[in-house]
Amino acid sequence: MRSQQSLAESFLFILLIVAIVGLLWLFSPFLEALFFAMILATATYAIYQKLLLKVNSETTASALMSVGVFLTVIAPVTYLLLEVGLQVGQVYGEAQHWLSMQTPQTFAEMNRNLVNIIPIPEDTQAQLIQQLHDNAGKIIKFAQETIVFLVRGVFGSTTSFLTFVLLAVFAMFFFYRDGHKIAQHLKVLSPLENHYDMMIMSRFSNLSTILLLSVLGVALVQGVTFATVAWLLGLPGLFLGMAIAVTSFIPVVGSALIWIPVASFLVFQGQYVEAGAVVFIGAVINGFLIDNVLRPILIRRISMTLHASGEGLEVANHTMMTILSTFAGLIHFGIIGLFFGPVIAALAITIFDVYALKHSDLLDRT
Protein backbone atom coordinates (compact mmCIF):
# COMPACT_ATOMS: atom_id res chain seq x y z
CA MET A 1 0.00 0.00 0.00
CA ARG A 2 2.84 2.33 0.91
CA SER A 3 4.67 1.59 -2.35
CA GLN A 4 1.50 2.29 -4.32
CA GLN A 5 1.05 5.64 -2.54
CA SER A 6 4.70 6.53 -3.18
CA LEU A 7 4.26 5.62 -6.85
CA ALA A 8 1.17 7.83 -7.07
CA GLU A 9 3.03 10.76 -5.48
CA SER A 10 5.95 10.33 -7.86
CA PHE A 11 3.63 10.15 -10.85
CA LEU A 12 1.74 13.26 -9.68
CA PHE A 13 5.06 15.10 -9.24
CA ILE A 14 6.09 14.18 -12.80
CA LEU A 15 2.72 15.40 -14.10
CA LEU A 16 3.19 18.66 -12.17
CA ILE A 17 6.62 19.23 -13.74
CA VAL A 18 5.26 18.45 -17.21
CA ALA A 19 2.36 20.86 -16.66
CA ILE A 20 4.66 23.69 -15.53
CA VAL A 21 7.13 23.16 -18.40
CA GLY A 22 4.23 22.91 -20.87
CA LEU A 23 2.70 26.17 -19.68
CA LEU A 24 6.05 27.96 -19.80
CA TRP A 25 6.60 26.71 -23.35
CA LEU A 26 3.05 27.64 -24.39
CA PHE A 27 3.23 31.18 -22.97
CA SER A 28 6.91 31.78 -23.77
CA PRO A 29 6.09 34.44 -26.44
CA PHE A 30 4.22 36.44 -23.78
CA LEU A 31 6.34 35.89 -20.65
CA GLU A 32 8.16 39.23 -20.88
CA ALA A 33 4.92 41.20 -21.25
CA LEU A 34 3.26 39.24 -18.43
CA PHE A 35 6.23 39.76 -16.11
CA PHE A 36 6.34 43.47 -16.95
CA ALA A 37 2.59 43.77 -16.27
CA MET A 38 3.01 41.92 -12.97
CA ILE A 39 5.78 44.32 -11.87
CA LEU A 40 3.66 47.37 -12.74
CA ALA A 41 0.52 45.97 -11.13
CA THR A 42 2.40 44.93 -7.99
CA ALA A 43 4.13 48.30 -7.69
CA THR A 44 0.83 50.20 -7.94
CA TYR A 45 -1.45 47.72 -6.15
CA ALA A 46 -1.72 49.96 -3.06
CA ILE A 47 -3.18 52.73 -5.25
CA TYR A 48 -5.62 50.22 -6.72
CA GLN A 49 -6.80 49.25 -3.25
CA LYS A 50 -7.48 52.90 -2.37
CA LEU A 51 -9.33 53.40 -5.65
CA LEU A 52 -11.37 50.26 -5.01
CA LEU A 53 -12.70 51.75 -1.77
CA LYS A 54 -14.04 54.74 -3.71
CA VAL A 55 -15.58 53.07 -6.77
CA ASN A 56 -16.61 49.86 -4.93
CA SER A 57 -16.20 47.75 -8.07
CA GLU A 58 -13.20 45.53 -8.82
CA THR A 59 -13.83 45.60 -12.56
CA THR A 60 -14.15 49.40 -12.71
CA ALA A 61 -11.16 49.99 -10.44
CA SER A 62 -9.02 47.54 -12.45
CA ALA A 63 -9.98 49.22 -15.74
CA LEU A 64 -9.26 52.70 -14.37
CA MET A 65 -5.89 51.62 -12.97
CA SER A 66 -4.87 49.88 -16.20
CA VAL A 67 -5.71 52.97 -18.24
CA GLY A 68 -4.05 55.24 -15.68
CA VAL A 69 -0.80 53.27 -15.61
CA PHE A 70 -0.80 53.14 -19.41
CA LEU A 71 -1.23 56.92 -19.71
CA THR A 72 1.24 57.85 -16.95
CA VAL A 73 3.97 55.19 -17.34
CA ILE A 74 3.75 52.97 -20.42
CA ALA A 75 2.65 55.57 -22.99
CA PRO A 76 5.29 58.21 -22.05
CA VAL A 77 8.09 55.59 -21.99
CA THR A 78 6.89 54.17 -25.32
CA TYR A 79 6.83 57.64 -26.84
CA LEU A 80 10.32 58.36 -25.50
CA LEU A 81 11.67 55.13 -26.95
CA LEU A 82 10.03 55.78 -30.31
CA GLU A 83 11.19 59.38 -30.50
CA VAL A 84 14.71 58.63 -29.33
CA GLY A 85 14.87 55.59 -31.62
CA LEU A 86 13.90 57.70 -34.64
CA GLN A 87 16.31 60.48 -33.73
CA VAL A 88 19.14 58.05 -33.01
CA GLY A 89 18.48 56.34 -36.32
CA GLN A 90 18.86 59.69 -38.07
CA VAL A 91 22.00 60.57 -36.11
CA TYR A 92 23.35 57.08 -36.78
CA GLY A 93 22.89 57.56 -40.53
CA GLU A 94 24.59 60.95 -40.47
CA ALA A 95 27.45 59.63 -38.34
CA GLN A 96 27.96 56.65 -40.64
CA HIS A 97 27.98 58.99 -43.66
CA TRP A 98 30.48 61.33 -41.99
CA LEU A 99 32.75 58.45 -40.97
CA SER A 100 32.59 56.95 -44.46
CA MET A 101 33.78 60.28 -45.88
CA GLN A 102 36.80 60.38 -43.60
CA THR A 103 40.23 59.28 -44.80
CA PRO A 104 43.24 58.65 -42.60
CA GLN A 105 44.62 62.02 -43.76
CA THR A 106 41.51 64.09 -42.89
CA PHE A 107 41.06 62.20 -39.63
CA ALA A 108 44.68 62.84 -38.64
CA GLU A 109 44.31 66.54 -39.49
CA MET A 110 41.17 66.78 -37.34
CA ASN A 111 42.94 65.06 -34.46
CA ARG A 112 45.96 67.35 -34.88
CA ASN A 113 43.71 70.38 -34.39
CA LEU A 114 42.10 68.74 -31.36
CA VAL A 115 45.40 67.71 -29.76
CA ASN A 116 46.80 71.23 -30.18
CA ILE A 117 44.27 72.60 -27.69
CA ILE A 118 45.19 70.00 -25.04
CA PRO A 119 47.62 71.47 -22.46
CA ILE A 120 50.42 68.89 -22.85
CA PRO A 121 54.09 69.29 -23.91
CA GLU A 122 54.79 69.69 -27.62
CA ASP A 123 56.82 66.46 -27.88
CA THR A 124 53.94 64.54 -26.30
CA GLN A 125 51.54 66.21 -28.74
CA ALA A 126 53.76 65.16 -31.64
CA GLN A 127 53.88 61.55 -30.45
CA LEU A 128 50.10 61.49 -29.93
CA ILE A 129 49.44 62.95 -33.38
CA GLN A 130 51.77 60.37 -34.94
CA GLN A 131 49.99 57.53 -33.13
CA LEU A 132 46.61 58.83 -34.28
CA HIS A 133 47.89 59.14 -37.85
CA ASP A 134 49.28 55.62 -37.88
CA ASN A 135 46.05 54.11 -36.48
CA ALA A 136 43.51 56.40 -38.15
CA GLY A 137 41.98 53.62 -40.25
CA LYS A 138 41.53 51.35 -37.24
CA ILE A 139 40.01 54.17 -35.19
CA ILE A 140 37.47 55.00 -37.91
CA LYS A 141 36.49 51.33 -38.20
CA PHE A 142 36.20 51.01 -34.42
CA ALA A 143 33.99 54.12 -34.26
CA GLN A 144 31.66 52.69 -36.91
CA GLU A 145 31.41 49.36 -35.09
CA THR A 146 30.81 51.12 -31.76
CA ILE A 147 27.93 53.15 -33.17
CA VAL A 148 26.31 50.00 -34.56
CA PHE A 149 26.73 48.21 -31.23
CA LEU A 150 25.23 51.05 -29.18
CA VAL A 151 22.25 51.51 -31.48
CA ARG A 152 21.45 47.80 -31.53
CA GLY A 153 22.15 47.19 -27.86
CA VAL A 154 20.33 50.14 -26.36
CA PHE A 155 17.58 50.99 -28.84
CA GLY A 156 17.30 47.78 -30.84
CA SER A 157 14.34 46.56 -28.77
CA THR A 158 12.21 49.66 -29.34
CA THR A 159 10.09 47.90 -31.95
CA SER A 160 9.72 44.74 -29.89
CA PHE A 161 8.70 46.86 -26.91
CA LEU A 162 5.66 48.09 -28.81
CA THR A 163 4.51 44.56 -29.59
CA PHE A 164 3.72 43.69 -26.00
CA VAL A 165 2.43 47.04 -24.73
CA LEU A 166 -1.20 46.13 -25.41
CA LEU A 167 -0.72 42.68 -23.91
CA ALA A 168 0.85 44.21 -20.79
CA VAL A 169 -2.11 46.58 -20.33
CA PHE A 170 -4.54 43.70 -20.90
CA ALA A 171 -2.71 41.51 -18.36
CA MET A 172 -2.57 44.34 -15.81
CA PHE A 173 -6.37 44.48 -15.70
CA PHE A 174 -6.53 40.86 -14.54
CA PHE A 175 -3.59 41.22 -12.15
CA TYR A 176 -5.42 44.10 -10.46
CA ARG A 177 -8.82 42.40 -10.41
CA ASP A 178 -7.67 38.89 -9.50
CA GLY A 179 -4.32 39.63 -7.86
CA HIS A 180 -5.41 38.78 -4.32
CA LYS A 181 -7.02 35.53 -5.54
CA ILE A 182 -3.86 34.57 -7.45
CA ALA A 183 -1.70 35.26 -4.37
CA GLN A 184 -4.00 33.26 -2.13
CA HIS A 185 -4.04 30.36 -4.59
CA LEU A 186 -0.24 30.35 -4.75
CA LYS A 187 -0.05 30.24 -0.96
CA VAL A 188 -2.42 27.27 -0.89
CA LEU A 189 -0.42 25.37 -3.52
CA SER A 190 2.94 26.18 -1.96
CA PRO A 191 4.24 23.54 0.48
CA LEU A 192 6.00 26.30 2.45
CA GLU A 193 4.52 27.82 5.59
CA ASN A 194 2.39 30.88 4.85
CA HIS A 195 4.81 33.31 6.53
CA TYR A 196 7.54 32.23 4.11
CA ASP A 197 5.15 32.71 1.18
CA MET A 198 4.27 36.17 2.50
CA MET A 199 7.97 36.98 2.87
CA ILE A 200 8.62 36.21 -0.81
CA MET A 201 5.53 38.08 -2.02
CA SER A 202 6.17 41.08 0.23
CA ARG A 203 9.74 41.53 -0.94
CA PHE A 204 8.71 41.18 -4.58
CA SER A 205 6.03 43.85 -4.05
CA ASN A 206 8.37 46.22 -2.19
CA LEU A 207 11.21 45.92 -4.67
CA SER A 208 8.88 46.38 -7.64
CA THR A 209 7.56 49.60 -6.10
CA ILE A 210 11.01 50.90 -5.19
CA LEU A 211 12.47 50.16 -8.63
CA LEU A 212 9.58 51.68 -10.55
CA LEU A 213 9.32 54.89 -8.53
CA SER A 214 13.07 55.47 -8.11
CA VAL A 215 13.95 54.80 -11.75
CA LEU A 216 11.14 56.98 -13.10
CA GLY A 217 11.87 59.71 -10.54
CA VAL A 218 15.57 59.88 -11.37
CA ALA A 219 14.85 59.77 -15.10
CA LEU A 220 12.39 62.66 -14.79
CA VAL A 221 14.77 64.84 -12.74
CA GLN A 222 17.76 64.17 -15.01
CA GLY A 223 15.74 64.73 -18.17
CA VAL A 224 14.19 68.01 -17.00
CA THR A 225 17.54 69.32 -15.68
CA PHE A 226 19.43 68.61 -18.87
CA ALA A 227 16.58 69.79 -21.10
CA THR A 228 16.49 73.15 -19.29
CA VAL A 229 20.24 73.70 -19.65
CA ALA A 230 20.21 72.55 -23.29
CA TRP A 231 17.39 74.95 -24.08
CA LEU A 232 19.32 77.83 -22.46
CA LEU A 233 22.36 76.91 -24.58
CA GLY A 234 20.32 76.94 -27.79
CA LEU A 235 20.31 73.16 -28.20
CA PRO A 236 17.24 70.97 -28.90
CA GLY A 237 16.23 70.69 -25.26
CA LEU A 238 13.14 68.51 -25.69
CA PHE A 239 14.93 65.79 -27.64
CA LEU A 240 18.05 65.84 -25.48
CA GLY A 241 15.98 65.80 -22.29
CA MET A 242 14.03 62.76 -23.52
CA ALA A 243 17.25 61.02 -24.56
CA ILE A 244 18.81 61.70 -21.15
CA ALA A 245 15.67 60.39 -19.40
CA VAL A 246 15.71 57.13 -21.38
CA THR A 247 19.46 56.46 -21.05
CA SER A 248 19.38 57.27 -17.32
CA PHE A 249 17.80 53.82 -16.88
CA ILE A 250 21.20 52.30 -17.71
CA PRO A 251 23.58 52.12 -14.69
CA VAL A 252 27.17 53.41 -14.69
CA VAL A 253 27.21 54.85 -18.22
CA GLY A 254 23.61 56.10 -18.25
CA SER A 255 23.15 59.60 -19.63
CA ALA A 256 26.87 59.78 -20.55
CA LEU A 257 25.82 58.04 -23.77
CA ILE A 258 24.16 61.34 -24.68
CA TRP A 259 26.04 64.21 -23.07
CA ILE A 260 29.56 63.03 -24.06
CA PRO A 261 28.73 63.06 -27.82
CA VAL A 262 26.95 66.42 -27.38
CA ALA A 263 29.97 67.92 -25.59
CA SER A 264 32.33 66.49 -28.24
CA PHE A 265 30.22 68.03 -31.00
CA LEU A 266 30.33 71.43 -29.29
CA VAL A 267 34.11 71.18 -28.92
CA PHE A 268 34.47 70.44 -32.66
CA GLN A 269 32.30 73.51 -33.30
CA GLY A 270 34.59 75.66 -31.14
CA GLN A 271 31.89 76.27 -28.49
CA TYR A 272 34.08 75.48 -25.49
CA VAL A 273 31.97 77.30 -22.89
CA GLU A 274 28.81 75.48 -23.96
CA ALA A 275 30.72 72.17 -24.00
CA GLY A 276 31.99 72.84 -20.48
CA ALA A 277 28.44 73.55 -19.31
CA VAL A 278 27.19 70.29 -20.84
CA VAL A 279 30.03 68.33 -19.18
CA PHE A 280 29.31 70.00 -15.82
CA ILE A 281 25.58 69.23 -15.96
CA GLY A 282 26.12 65.70 -17.28
CA ALA A 283 29.02 64.63 -15.03
CA VAL A 284 28.48 66.64 -11.84
CA ILE A 285 24.76 67.41 -11.59
CA ASN A 286 23.27 64.33 -13.30
CA GLY A 287 26.12 61.86 -12.91
CA PHE A 288 27.11 62.64 -9.31
CA LEU A 289 24.44 64.60 -7.44
CA ILE A 290 21.28 63.11 -8.93
CA ASP A 291 22.53 59.57 -9.63
CA ASN A 292 24.72 59.00 -6.55
CA VAL A 293 23.11 61.32 -3.98
CA LEU A 294 19.45 61.76 -4.92
CA ARG A 295 18.85 58.12 -5.99
CA PRO A 296 19.86 56.52 -2.63
CA ILE A 297 17.86 59.17 -0.75
CA LEU A 298 14.84 58.45 -2.95
CA ILE A 299 15.22 54.68 -2.41
CA ARG A 300 15.43 55.14 1.37
CA ARG A 301 12.37 57.42 1.45
CA ILE A 302 10.31 54.96 -0.59
CA SER A 303 11.54 52.07 1.60
CA MET A 304 10.52 53.93 4.75
CA THR A 305 7.11 54.67 3.27
CA LEU A 306 6.66 50.96 2.52
CA HIS A 307 8.10 50.01 5.93
CA ALA A 308 10.54 47.87 3.96
CA SER A 309 13.89 49.21 5.15
CA GLY A 310 16.34 46.36 5.65
CA GLU A 311 13.96 43.67 4.42
CA GLY A 312 16.26 41.99 1.94
CA LEU A 313 16.31 44.87 -0.54
CA GLU A 314 20.03 44.46 -1.19
CA VAL A 315 19.58 44.73 -4.95
CA ALA A 316 18.07 48.21 -4.64
CA ASN A 317 20.74 49.42 -2.18
CA HIS A 318 23.85 47.52 -3.28
CA THR A 319 25.72 49.18 -6.13
CA MET A 320 27.46 46.07 -7.49
CA MET A 321 24.29 43.95 -7.42
CA THR A 322 22.31 46.74 -9.08
CA ILE A 323 24.85 47.17 -11.86
CA LEU A 324 25.34 43.47 -12.59
CA SER A 325 21.66 42.51 -12.43
CA THR A 326 20.60 45.51 -14.52
CA PHE A 327 23.17 44.88 -17.25
CA ALA A 328 22.33 41.17 -17.24
CA GLY A 329 18.66 42.03 -17.68
CA LEU A 330 19.57 44.42 -20.50
CA ILE A 331 21.55 41.70 -22.29
CA HIS A 332 18.89 39.01 -21.93
CA PHE A 333 15.66 41.02 -22.37
CA GLY A 334 16.61 44.29 -24.06
CA ILE A 335 15.53 47.67 -22.69
CA ILE A 336 12.77 46.16 -20.55
CA GLY A 337 15.35 44.00 -18.79
CA LEU A 338 16.42 47.10 -16.87
CA PHE A 339 13.48 46.25 -14.60
CA PHE A 340 13.59 42.48 -14.91
CA GLY A 341 17.22 41.98 -13.86
CA PRO A 342 17.08 43.51 -10.35
CA VAL A 343 13.69 41.91 -9.60
CA ILE A 344 14.91 38.42 -10.58
CA ALA A 345 18.09 38.91 -8.54
CA ALA A 346 16.06 40.06 -5.52
CA LEU A 347 13.76 37.04 -5.76
CA ALA A 348 16.80 34.75 -5.84
CA ILE A 349 18.24 36.45 -2.74
CA THR A 350 14.87 36.15 -1.00
CA ILE A 351 14.69 32.42 -1.74
CA PHE A 352 18.22 32.03 -0.32
CA ASP A 353 17.02 33.84 2.82
CA VAL A 354 13.97 31.59 3.08
CA TYR A 355 16.19 28.53 2.82
CA ALA A 356 18.52 29.91 5.52
CA LEU A 357 15.60 30.62 7.86
CA LYS A 358 13.86 27.30 7.29
CA HIS A 359 17.02 25.25 7.80
CA SER A 360 18.77 27.51 10.30
CA ASP A 361 19.25 24.61 12.72
CA LEU A 362 21.14 22.62 10.09
CA LEU A 363 23.49 25.38 8.91
CA ASP A 364 26.92 25.83 10.44
CA ARG A 365 27.25 29.55 11.18
CA THR A 366 30.64 29.36 12.90
Side-chain angles (χ1 to χ4, degrees):
M1 186 69 179
R2 182 177 298 176
S3 61
Q4 185 177 1
Q5 184 179 2
S6 176
L7 181 62
E9 289 292 334
S10 301
F11 182 69
L12 180 60
F13 180 74
I14 293 174
L15 289 179
L16 181 63
I17 297 298
V18 171
I20 293 175
V21 173
L23 282 177
L24 290 176
W25 172 80
L26 181 64
F27 294 131
S28 58
F30 315 120
L31 288 180
E32 292 183 16
L34 293 175
F35 193 41
F36 180 60
M38 184 168 60
I39 291 176
L40 289 178
T42 303
T44 56
Y45 197 76
I47 303 175
Y48 163 76
Q49 291 178 315
K50 295 179 181 179
L51 181 62
L52 182 60
L53 295 176
K54 296 182 178 180
V55 301
N56 200 28
S57 171
E58 291 184 345
T59 301
T60 304
S62 300
L64 290 175
M65 280 298 302
S66 299
V67 174
V69 171
F70 172 76
L71 293 177
T72 58
V73 179
I74 298 179
V77 173
T78 302
Y79 172 75
L80 289 176
L81 288 173
L82 274 176
E83 185 67 24
V84 173
L86 292 174
Q87 294 289 342
V88 168
Q90 181 179 354
V91 172
Y92 164 73
E94 294 177 355
Q96 283 284 69
H97 176 71
W98 180 81
L99 286 172
S100 65
M101 298 295 292
Q102 300 302 312
T103 64
Q105 292 73 23
T106 59
F107 187 75
E109 180 63 28
M110 180 184 64
N111 285 314
R112 184 180 295 106
N113 296 332
L114 180 61
V115 169
N116 286 334
I117 67 174
I118 302 177
I120 57 178
E122 292 185 1
D123 55 341
T124 305
Q125 287 187 0
Q127 294 177 6
L128 181 58
I129 291 172
Q130 184 62 40
Q131 289 292 327
L132 291 172
H133 180 271
D134 294 340
N135 297 279
K138 295 180 180 179
I139 294 175
I140 293 174
K141 183 179 179 180
F142 174 76
Q144 291 175 328
E145 293 175 350
T146 302
I147 291 174
V148 173
F149 172 78
L150 290 176
V151 171
R152 289 180 178 176
V154 178
F155 301 105
S157 59
T158 301
T159 303
S160 62
F161 180 80
L162 294 176
T163 60
F164 69 84
V165 164
L166 293 178
L167 178 59
V169 175
F170 177 76
M172 271 195 303
F173 171 83
F174 293 99
F175 282 134
Y176 284 127
R177 194 189 68 177
D178 304 323
H180 60 289
K181 298 177 184 177
I182 296 173
Q184 181 61 33
H185 195 58
L186 289 176
K187 286 194 295 183
V188 171
L189 293 177
S190 171
L192 295 173
E193 291 90 340
N194 281 346
H195 66 278
Y196 289 131
D197 294 328
M198 289 303 301
M199 177 181 174
I200 295 174
M201 294 179 184
S202 175
R203 291 189 180 180
F204 175 78
S205 173
N206 290 336
L207 187 73
S208 297
T209 304
I210 291 171
L211 279 176
L212 182 67
L213 296 182
S214 63
V215 167
L216 292 180
V218 169
L220 178 64
V221 174
Q222 287 193 358
V224 170
T225 302
F226 199 88
T228 303
V229 174
W231 177 72
L232 293 175
L233 295 177
L235 299 172
L238 180 61
F239 165 66
L240 291 177
M242 291 189 298
I244 289 290
V246 171
T247 53
S248 68
F249 295 166
I250 306 173
V252 183
V253 289
S255 58
L257 292 172
I258 302 300
W259 65 259
I260 289 180
V262 171
S264 301
F265 173 78
L266 292 174
V267 168
F268 285 132
Q269 296 293 319
Q271 298 174 279
Y272 303 118
V273 175
E274 290 82 354
V278 168
V279 171
F280 177 78
I281 295 298
V284 179
I285 303 300
N286 280 356
F288 177 73
L289 292 179
I290 296 178
D291 216 22
N292 297 317
V293 178
L294 178 62
R295 188 191 296 271
I297 293 175
L298 189 59
I299 289 175
R300 284 196 297 269
R301 291 291 179 89
I302 299 173
S303 300
M304 292 173 61
T305 303
L306 298 173
H307 306 290
S309 181
E311 292 189 1
L313 300 176
E314 292 86 350
V315 174
N317 295 311
H318 197 287
T319 303
M320 187 186 74
M321 286 296 295
T322 301
I323 293 172
L324 292 180
S325 60
T326 304
F327 271 125
L330 184 66
I331 293 171
H332 287 294
F333 303 104
I335 196 73
I336 205 65
L338 297 172
F339 294 97
F340 289 0
V343 171
I344 293 174
L347 285 177
I349 292 174
T350 301
I351 293 173
F352 296 153
D353 291 343
V354 168
Y355 177 85
L357 289 173
K358 188 171 179 60
H359 299 285
S360 58
D361 55 331
L362 302 177
L363 299 177
D364 186 0
R365 299 182 182 274
T366 58

